[in-house]
Amino acid sequence: MSDATVCLTYDFDAVSVWIHTFEVGNAPTQLSRGVYGAWVGAPRLLDLHDRHGIPATWFVPGHTIESFPERVGEVHDRGYDIQCHGWRHVNPSTFDSKEDEKAEYERAMTNIEDITGSPPVGFRSPAWEFSTHTLDILDELGFEWDSSQMGNDFRPYYLRKNWSAPQDKPYEIGEKSDIVEVPISWKRADFPALMFVWEQSILWGFADERSVFDLWRAQFDWMYEHVENGIFTLAMHPQVIGQPPRTTRLEELIGHMRAKPGVEFADVSTVAAEVRSGDREPMAMLGD
Ligand SMILES: [Zn+2]
């Protein structure tokens, strides 16, 4: 077991995030930003990973697979892990029923199986949020792990089922499920800091670029020093991180991480499988 593991992940939203999350409708310039992710950002990142021989997990909505099948096929053909990111890029809490939510993930699973030959076992919610049904649905559909939640920073843990959060009673954390969580953070993500979205805020997406990479480096260094066998999960988007000179900054960050002894790069599926097999210790949560 290495001293630290780095999981580089890409949410390959392409145009789905503009259609389904920001609801820009038929706005060709907005939609073209997603096309850029498929045409320009994705191949640039695949080349970067090929150059360094570093694995990655790509979370791909079914909408992206049906819109850009050749590009998603290329991600698989070049050896990278592809997992589920819903079909439309919507918040799970917006589904009318559990059946509707489940049917959408089943459609997305079929898309991935058509590309990879096997159904996905990992999930990242399009909105990084669950509905009250999502965990049960993942369990019913055979998913083994998730990477959407934030109950830890650098340690995996098992998600909780049957939790409750009433307004006028204490929070009940629920019971341990069989789904492994490999947590993420808005502070280890590129979209809020680096992607300007007119509909959200005039200030969104105009962070100083170097400071974003400095923050990621500082978080990694802290984990390396303080957390035994920590997992550093970085969540990025081809249409955001694929813009120059960010790919160069990313390569510099990779070089910084690689220079430390005992650091390995892994896809999230590998890490989650190690937790499930007992090779990697999950974080013990309250009540375990
Ligand atoms: Zn997404």
Side-chain angles (χ1 to χ4, degrees):
M1 181 71 62
S2 62
D3 298 327
T5 303
V6 179
C7 293
L8 301 182
T9 70
Y10 298 98
D11 293 7
F12 192 6
D13 300 337
V15 293
S16 69
V17 69
W18 301 104
I19 297 172
H20 306 125
T21 298
F22 298 120
E23 299 181 334
V24 300
N26 295 316
T29 299
Q30 298 279 42
L31 300 177
S32 74
R33 305 172 81 187
V35 173
Y36 174 96
W39 282 1
V40 181
R44 212 170 255 166
L45 294 162
L46 290 169
D47 289 345
L48 186 158
H49 276 259
D50 283 1
R51 263 198 312 281
H52 294 277
I54 291 174
T57 296
W58 289 63
F59 296 97
V60 190
H63 184 275
T64 296
I65 297 175
E66 294 193 20
S67 303
F68 303 98
E70 295 87 358
R71 185 66 81 214
V72 182
E74 188 185 352
V75 174
H76 173 68
D77 291 343
R78 291 169 75 161
Y80 299 100
D81 184 29
I82 294 179
Q83 300 295 340
C84 189
H85 197 41
W87 197 91
R88 289 176 304 143
H89 202 278
V90 295
N91 190 319
S93 65
T94 60
F95 286 103
D96 289 335
S97 67
K98 180 182 176 184
E99 289 69 32
D100 286 355
E101 184 179 355
K102 188 173 181 178
E104 187 143 322
Y105 300 159
E106 287 175 320
R107 180 178 176 186
M109 292 173 78
T110 301
N111 290 138
I112 290 176
E113 190 165 4
D114 287 346
I115 295 280
T116 68
S118 53
V121 294
F123 183 79
R124 175 170 290 162
S125 161
W128 294 13
E129 189 53 273
F130 277 21
S131 74
T132 52
H133 303 299
T134 306
L135 185 58
D136 288 340
I137 292 170
L138 296 183
D139 198 32
E140 290 164 16
L141 293 178
F143 283 91
E144 297 176 353
W145 59 268
D146 172 74
S147 182
S148 311
Q149 298 204 17
M150 307 181 188
N152 205 302
D153 36 31
F154 306 118
R155 298 285 304 279
Y157 60 97
Y158 280 90
L159 288 176
R160 297 302 187 122
K161 58 187 178 184
N162 301 324
W163 52 270
S164 70
Q167 292 279 347
D168 57 348
K169 292 179 185 167
Y171 174 65
E172 297 281 348
I173 196 169
E175 307 117 39
K176 186 175 168 184
S177 76
D178 293 326
I179 307 283
V180 171
E181 176 64 34
V182 181
I184 52 175
S185 167
W186 290 116
K187 291 295 186 184
R188 287 189 298 286
D190 59 356
F191 209 105
L194 299 176
M195 195 61 157
F196 171 62
V197 181
W198 185 266
E199 291 78 7
Q200 296 296 311
S201 158
I202 199 73
L203 294 175
W204 227 50
F206 277 109
D208 174 63
E209 298 206 359
R210 196 170 286 278
S211 72
V212 174
F213 287 90
D214 286 348
L215 171 64
W216 293 347
R217 178 189 297 231
Q219 288 189 59
F220 173 79
D221 288 348
W222 190 95
M223 182 193 83
Y224 186 80
E225 192 174 327
H226 294 96
V227 183
E228 196 176 344
N229 300 324
I231 302 167
F232 185 86
T233 307
L234 198 54
M236 300 171 284
H237 300 72
Q239 61 188 290
V240 183
I241 203 74
Q243 296 181 36
R246 297 167 185 169
T247 45
T248 303
R249 298 284 96 81
L250 180 60
E251 286 195 274
E252 291 168 358
L253 179 65
I254 289 168
H256 172 77
M257 293 164 164
R258 286 192 119 164
K260 291 184 182 291
V263 174
E264 70 167 10
F265 290 77
D267 56 43
V268 188
S269 292
T270 300
V271 167
E274 288 172 354
V275 175
R276 290 175 63 88
S277 70
D279 290 341
R280 185 185 285 272
E281 187 79 13
M283 177 73 187
M285 301 293 277
L286 294 171
D288 278 355

